[in-house]
Amino acid sequence: MIVRIMGEGQVKLDDAHFVELNKLDDELLDEMESGDEDGFRRTLGALLDAVRRLGAPLPDDSLEPSELILPAEDASLDEVRQMLSDDGLIPG
């Protein structure tokens, strides 16, 4: 799957990693619902770090269609809320 992190670029991520990413996504949703800004910041950073660590960066000049778009690390709670689907940021 091709994943874009806004403001950074794209990575190719193997579907096998989505179990780990969905756990972080669920934690992020809980923190957003409870208004835990510190937890939200920490978990969003951990989610993006995991995508960077587990994924293979695509060249900057590559323009592949992104199947998943994640917010930038400095995105606000409200900006991330606008990006959410019923499943959170990551489907599944």
Side-chain angles (χ1 to χ4, degrees):
M1 176 180 280
I2 305 296
V3 178
R4 174 176 298 282
I5 299 175
M6 294 176 68
E8 288 186 36
Q10 294 177 302
V11 298
K12 184 170 184 153
L13 198 59
D14 195 55
D15 290 346
H17 297 300
F18 281 89
V19 171
E20 177 181 344
L21 298 176
N22 275 318
K23 289 179 187 176
L24 289 167
D25 190 40
D26 289 344
E27 188 176 325
L28 187 69
L29 277 173
D30 289 342
E31 291 160 348
M32 291 179 68
E33 288 173 2
S34 69
D36 180 359
E37 181 81 32
D38 291 336
F40 163 77
R41 286 271 145 239
R42 182 178 54 252
T43 305
L44 178 58
L47 175 64
L48 297 176
D49 286 345
V51 169
R52 292 180 196 112
R53 176 176 42 86
L54 299 169
L58 295 179
D60 289 338
D61 60 352
S62 174
L63 291 173
E64 300 292 325
S66 299
E67 297 167 84
L68 179 62
I69 299 175
L70 296 176
E73 196 154 355
D74 63 351
S76 72
L77 204 115
D78 286 335
E79 290 170 328
V80 175
R81 268 195 189 105
Q82 292 175 16
M83 296 179 72
L84 293 177
S85 70
D86 291 339
D87 288 333
L89 291 172
I90 300 174

